[in-house]
Amino acid sequence: MTNTGSRSVLRTETFACVRCGLTVTALAPDGRRRNHCPSCLHSRHILDHVEGGPSECRSRMTPISIAVPRSGDWMLIHRCVRCGELTSSPLSGDDNQLLLMRLAVRPLAQPPFPLEGFGDL
């Protein structure tokens, strides 16, 4: 007798990264579903967050920033390269820490205004 419930637990869902081609498990180490590559942090535009439901775009989502909402959970912010929609998803424990730090310090390393003016204050 076969238990179909245990078969679904043993089956591992994967997806290929839209940018680097890495085969990624859909479950992160903490058990939550992930939607981005832990190596390059890119994703695919699958859900339409504005209207809800599946997205027809299906283009690459580029990581552009890190956000920390009041809950304290770090979120990865993506922008679709085709339609420009912004999305957020929680970070996973196995995400590339170097790339995450680069995203987090980018506003300090490349500010949108000249820093020379602070020397006169």
Side-chain angles (χ1 to χ4, degrees):
M1 184 165 145
T2 304
N3 184 346
T4 58
S6 65
R7 249 194 310 175
S8 66
V9 172
L10 294 176
R11 190 185 76 213
T12 304
E13 288 185 57
T14 61
F15 61 90
C17 175
V18 67
R19 181 175 178 262
C20 71
L22 180 71
T23 300
V24 179
T25 60
L27 290 180
D30 63 3
R32 291 191 287 185
R33 291 189 61 83
R34 81 164 92 227
N35 70 348
H36 62 272
C37 174
S39 179
C40 71
L41 306 179
H42 283 73
S43 181
R44 182 178 296 276
H45 193 177
I46 295 190
L47 296 176
D48 187 334
H49 292 277
V50 175
E51 296 182 16
S55 172
E56 296 177 10
C57 183
R58 313 267 313 154
S59 192
R60 183 169 45 95
M61 303 284 283
T62 303
I64 61 167
S65 184
I66 300 290
V68 185
R70 291 178 191 239
S71 67
D73 296 332
W74 285 42
M75 303 293 283
L76 184 58
I77 308 299
H78 286 101
R79 178 185 293 133
C80 180
V81 298
R82 183 175 181 198
C83 70
E85 183 173 327
L86 295 174
T87 63
S88 65
S89 63
L91 297 183
S92 299
D94 60 345
D95 286 344
N96 184 323
Q97 294 178 1
L98 179 60
L99 290 180
L100 291 173
M101 288 304 294
R102 287 178 64 192
L103 286 172
V105 301
R106 184 181 293 163
L108 298 173
Q110 300 170 343
F113 49 83
L115 293 177
E116 292 80 24
F118 285 110
D120 298 335
L121 294 178

